[in-house]
Amino acid sequence: MSELAMDTPIDRSAMKVSDEVAIEIRNMNKWYGQFHVLRDINLTVNRGERIVIAGPSGSGKSTLIRCINRLEEHQAGQIIVDGTELTSDLKNIDKIRSEVGMCFQHFNLFPHLTILENCTLAPIWVRKVPRKEAEETAMHFLEKVKIPDQALKYPGQLSGGQQQRVAIARSLCMKPRIMLFDEPTSALDPEMIKEVLDTMIELAQEGMTMLCVTHEMGFARQVANRVIFMDQGQIVEQNEPEEFFNNPRSERTKLFLSQILGH
Amino acid sequence: MTTLTDPPSESFRLSMLIYDTRYRAITFQIIALICFLLFFGWLISNTAQNLADLGKEPSFGFLMEPAGYDINQRLIDYNNQDSHLRAAFVGLLNTLLVAFLGCVTATVVGVIVGVLRLSNNWLISRLMAVYVEMFRNVPVLMWIVLCMAILIESLPAPRAFRGDDAEASMKLFDTVAITNRGVYIPEPLFSRSLGDIPVGNLFNISIDLIAILIVLAIGFYVSHRIKLKADATQEATGVRPRTWYMRLGVIFVPLAALLVILGFHLGYPELSGFNFSGGTHLRNSLIALWLALSLYTAAFIAENVRAGILAISKGQTEAASALGLRPSITMRLVILPQALRVIIPPLISQYLNLTKNSSLAIAVGYMDITGTLMGITLNQTGRELETVLLGMLIYLAISLAISAVMNFYNSRVKLVER
């Protein structure tokens, strides 16, 4: 496990959590055919919260956050994002998707478009922003993730860490209010993990609501204000990071932590 | 000479020709080349000797002799007193006609079937699967003969259209007659025609047609300019102006004006005696061949299209959806540009297959280049070697031309990547 080595200490007081609810999930259930992937998930996320979701593989972590922008469909219960309920209504789905950004394990950049075009595609075709304005916004966010000089290259010409940072910038160009991260550092070399995590920390410090599925426990300890542990499709335990790591309540969590932090 | 002047100054030994990797490849290539030349030299001289013994010196003079046979389906004027060369040319045009029609139809059907086979609708995707498996697992010759049989057996004879209480009637407001002798459709006629230009003594090109093509080309160009302007407006303001009526207008209004000037009207097929006259006659042989080749090749193209779309990882669609892009835009801007690169190379092979399969035309009596040059001309003149060589050269030329055009297009699509 790579521990996060920050150059500057993180100022957690800057990361404010408001009382406003950003995401509310009530009694959500999901099946893949006969297989019960998510069981009775109840979760409330306030605006500005940074939540890390941990758990063994196959526990439904990814499926849970993929339900939030309906890349996966839930079959029972409610998901309410920013006051809009996710149903099969296309209008609601479009509205939620344009407010929720997402980063994937394998970046999923569009290989036939330049970095800049990757970043401007959605603003132009979804938000109907003029190209010039979209490009200015894109350059702003590319500067923020520290790769403005690669704007005219193609994704294949960039390193994994750079690609993931572009993917973050691409999501930010839609000006989302919530960001979902699905194992953003799992496909990266150890050296590149840090540059991506730094970008995510910066986002957190600006007050972005974040849900991260990750195995980076250092990141969880330093940035998250809540860690959720999932196993077999259920939320087993959720707590503040200090409590979660030092005082796990359930046996399953203890076992998981001993395996993941033991070496 | 580089191999001899390379740095290592060790003395050259003959065994190095076989054991040294630097010389080994060259040695084998030279040996292979010598064997190849010897074999072909022997083959050619032997054939020439045998032909000479039979009193058949290779000669292409027969091409100028009168052909003496009729060809019913033809695009240019021809009668049985014209030369074998002209008969071959009529056949070549027929080959090109059915190959072109087939490629266009096969592509349209193939893309639609390929996309539909990936549909979430169970019934539609299964139907498409059945279609693909049925057509690609039976030899195309069977489909050609079957199509011909269906057309001949199931359609009414022209005499069924006669009389007050006729058994059959013409379709589409009495303009199209579908009979077991073929389909008669209205033909375009010009009452103030501009005449023809002869090209050599091979065929004539209608000036009317050239005029129409020029007007269409200008129309499409202006339409394209309007599209570019709309793109620019979208880039400047974010809103795409509604231009489809202007884009259609600049194409169709001048075309309509030109047609009025030329006195355009349709010549309808009419029943006279026991057959139809007037209009354009599409023979059953052409329709059956066109239909069978298109449907057969479309099954393969559908698989190529499906493979191309499946080759694009699901992550691309997910990333596009997560950004809020609608499926239609995702398909157009994200999936297809990437899928095309996978689809086009096998698509070229399918076009080549279709063109070569069209040589089965003789089965239904469609006179293509195989039927004329390598069929009747061969039988009448006994010039097997010359006709088959010519035929092979012609197919080779057509195939290489298709390849060249498609490869050019492929390189254009490919450039998008880097």
Side-chain angles (χ1 to χ4, degrees):
Chain A
M1 265 302 88
S2 67
E3 283 294 319
L4 195 60
M6 285 292 294
D7 306 331
T8 49
I10 299 167
D11 181 11
R12 287 184 67 112
S13 65
M15 309 179 191
K16 287 209 178 66
V17 177
S18 84
D19 295 336
E20 199 186 332
V21 174
I23 302 171
E24 183 157 19
I25 300 177
R26 286 192 211 127
N27 294 324
M28 194 254 279
N29 278 278
K30 175 170 176 60
W31 291 263
Y32 283 129
Q34 292 292 310
F35 180 53
H36 204 162
V37 215
L38 294 175
R39 300 159 192 262
D40 294 322
I41 303 286
N42 282 291
L43 179 66
T44 307
V45 181
N46 285 352
R47 194 160 297 295
E49 274 202 284
R50 291 90 47 201
I51 293 178
V52 163
I53 304 173
S57 64
S59 59
K61 323 174 284 273
S62 290
T63 312
L64 171 61
I65 67 166
R66 286 159 60 88
C67 280
I68 294 172
N69 63 356
R70 213 179 174 81
L71 288 183
E72 304 282 354
E73 209 172 308
H74 60 283
Q75 278 104 19
Q78 280 183 308
I79 301 179
I80 300 165
V81 182
D82 261 338
T84 312
E85 187 181 348
L86 257 183
T87 56
S88 43
D89 186 345
L90 273 178
K91 269 188 202 151
N92 288 0
I93 296 176
D94 283 348
K95 183 158 178 264
I96 288 170
R97 280 180 176 167
S98 64
E99 280 178 26
V100 179
M102 183 159 188
C103 289
F104 301 85
Q105 182 178 356
H106 297 290
F107 333 133
N108 297 353
L109 294 176
F110 306 131
H112 61 299
L113 300 177
T114 63
I115 300 305
L116 191 62
E117 287 166 340
N118 263 282
C119 294
T120 55
L121 186 74
I124 289 174
W125 289 94
V126 180
R127 289 239 194 272
K128 315 279 182 208
V129 177
R131 178 179 291 272
K132 208 162 170 232
E133 204 182 309
E135 282 178 354
E136 280 163 14
T137 316
M139 285 314 291
H140 168 76
F141 284 113
L142 285 175
E143 264 160 44
K144 212 170 132 169
V145 300
K146 305 191 181 67
I147 28 179
D149 44 332
Q150 315 279 9
L152 297 179
K153 289 192 181 169
Y154 286 90
Q157 296 166 300
L158 268 57
S159 74
Q162 289 174 323
Q163 288 193 40
Q164 191 61 291
R165 284 184 283 148
V166 170
I168 295 174
R170 178 176 70 175
S171 298
L172 292 179
C173 285
M174 286 295 283
K175 312 247 170 87
R177 306 178 72 181
I178 300 165
M179 283 290 290
L180 309 174
F181 293 88
D182 189 358
E183 306 205 18
T185 55
S186 301
L188 296 176
D189 291 344
E191 280 184 343
M192 296 171 177
I193 291 177
K194 186 176 173 302
E195 61 188 49
V196 172
L197 289 181
D198 284 347
T199 311
M200 289 167 64
I201 290 166
E202 210 173 300
L203 262 185
Q205 283 172 330
E206 285 167 18
M208 177 68 79
T209 312
M210 293 164 65
L211 277 88
C212 311
V213 172
T214 182
H215 297 300
E216 297 298 326
M217 291 303 136
F219 174 79
R221 217 183 261 272
Q222 294 184 43
V223 180
N225 62 332
R226 195 157 27 130
V227 180
I228 291 176
F229 178 73
M230 287 184 74
D231 187 36
Q232 297 186 344
Q234 280 173 313
I235 297 182
V236 176
E237 182 167 349
Q238 47 179 316
N239 217 329
E240 290 183 359
E242 283 309 313
E243 274 294 297
F244 179 83
F245 289 112
N246 301 337
N247 257 332
R249 273 170 284 175
S250 83
E251 284 304 314
R252 185 68 189 88
T253 317
K254 282 177 194 161
L255 181 66
F256 177 74
L257 286 177
S258 72
Q259 281 171 345
I260 202 168
L261 300 174
H263 46 90
Chain B
M1 295 307 283
T2 48
T3 49
L4 294 179
T5 54
D6 266 349
S9 52
E10 54 178 306
S11 61
F12 179 78
R13 280 165 289 118
L14 214 53
S15 63
M16 288 169 79
L17 283 178
I18 292 179
Y19 293 115
D20 192 313
T21 48
R22 282 172 296 170
Y23 306 114
R24 196 178 158 83
I26 297 172
T27 315
F28 283 127
Q29 286 187 51
I30 289 173
I31 293 172
L33 183 67
I34 291 170
C35 293
F36 182 81
L37 287 177
L38 280 176
F39 176 71
F40 270 86
W42 170 77
L43 202 67
I44 289 169
S45 76
N46 197 15
T47 312
Q49 184 61 48
N50 284 339
L51 283 173
D53 289 351
L54 288 170
K56 280 195 196 171
E57 297 290 340
S59 146
F60 290 91
F62 71 93
L63 284 174
M64 290 307 153
E65 292 163 15
Y69 59 90
D70 287 310
I71 302 174
N72 51 23
Q73 172 81 44
R74 54 183 187 259
L75 293 172
I76 57 172
D77 286 333
Y78 168 85
N79 67 55
N80 59 19
Q81 290 311 302
D82 284 322
S83 66
H84 282 295
L85 181 64
R86 194 175 174 86
F89 189 67
V90 172
L92 171 63
L93 288 180
N94 281 345
T95 294
L96 291 176
L97 173 71
V98 77
F100 175 76
L101 290 176
C103 286
V104 172
T105 325
T107 309
V108 173
V109 176
V111 170
I112 293 173
V113 172
V115 171
L116 287 186
R117 203 176 164 187
L118 291 171
S119 158
N120 290 327
N121 185 319
W122 185 88
L123 183 66
I124 288 180
S125 70
R126 280 314 127 102
L127 277 176
M128 295 304 139
V130 168
Y131 161 76
V132 167
E133 295 306 335
M134 263 180 59
F135 270 87
R136 68 173 186 168
N137 291 317
V138 174
V140 64
L141 183 60
M142 317 265 160
W143 286 114
I144 296 174
V145 174
L146 181 73
C147 285
M148 187 68 176
I150 291 175
L151 290 178
I152 292 177
E153 297 296 330
S154 67
L155 296 174
R159 71 181 132 75
F161 290 78
R162 283 160 55 88
D164 290 333
D165 50 345
E167 298 161 43
S169 62
M170 292 169 72
K171 305 287 183 297
L172 289 175
F173 308 106
D174 281 357
T175 58
V176 175
I178 300 172
T179 76
N180 65 357
R181 292 188 189 181
V183 176
Y184 296 82
I185 57 172
E187 61 178 333
L189 294 171
F190 301 98
S191 54
R192 289 181 288 275
S193 173
L194 300 170
D196 294 331
I197 324 174
V199 177
N201 57 356
L202 274 181
F203 58 100
N204 296 325
I205 291 182
S206 155
I207 300 177
D208 309 318
L209 185 67
I210 296 175
I212 290 173
L213 288 180
I214 290 174
V215 167
L216 271 181
I218 295 173
F220 275 107
Y221 176 72
V222 175
S223 167
H224 182 65
R225 291 300 298 264
I226 294 176
K227 176 184 172 285
L228 291 183
K229 212 174 155 213
D231 287 346
T233 316
Q234 184 185 19
E235 290 190 6
T237 63
V239 184
R240 194 175 180 89
R242 204 173 274 273
T243 56
W244 62 267
Y245 53 91
M246 283 162 68
R247 294 188 60 190
L248 288 182
V250 293
I251 294 172
F252 287 105
V253 172
L255 182 65
L258 177 71
L259 290 179
V260 170
I261 293 170
L262 291 175
F264 174 80
H265 61 277
L266 290 173
Y268 297 108
E270 274 172 26
L271 195 61
S272 61
F274 287 98
N275 210 341
F276 282 91
S277 64
T280 301
H281 183 190
L282 299 176
R283 282 171 195 277
N284 274 337
S285 52
L286 170 64
I287 296 173
L289 187 68
W290 174 17
L291 207 65
L293 285 176
S294 312
L295 293 179
Y296 178 79
T297 312
F300 289 89
I301 293 178
E303 285 299 273
N304 294 340
V305 170
R306 188 169 75 105
I309 293 175
L310 286 180
I312 307 308
S313 80
K314 208 155 182 270
Q316 294 287 308
T317 321
E318 283 180 354
S321 315
L323 286 167
L325 290 165
R326 279 292 182 85
S328 57
I329 293 180
T330 305
M331 192 49 131
R332 188 155 63 89
L333 297 178
V334 177
I335 307 297
L336 276 183
Q338 298 182 59
L340 272 183
R341 287 181 283 127
V342 186
I343 296 172
I344 287 177
L347 191 66
I348 302 174
S349 308
Q350 295 309 334
Y351 285 171
L352 299 181
N353 280 343
L354 189 148
T355 309
K356 289 179 292 176
N357 285 340
S358 75
S359 62
L360 293 169
I362 195 83
V364 287
Y366 180 75
M367 297 304 278
D368 69 339
I369 185 75
T370 312
T372 56
L373 181 68
M374 285 182 282
I376 303 179
T377 295
L378 188 157
N379 279 332
Q380 290 189 356
T381 60
R383 295 277 174 188
E384 309 89 352
L385 191 72
E386 294 89 335
T387 51
V388 171
L389 269 180
L390 266 182
M392 286 165 73
L393 273 179
I394 289 170
Y395 276 111
L396 187 66
I398 299 174
S399 294
L400 288 178
I402 295 176
S403 266
V405 171
M406 292 301 291
N407 279 326
F408 172 72
Y409 179 64
N410 193 27
S411 66
R412 288 276 306 276
V413 180
K414 222 175 180 171
L415 269 181
V416 181
E417 169 95 19
R418 292 254 176 271

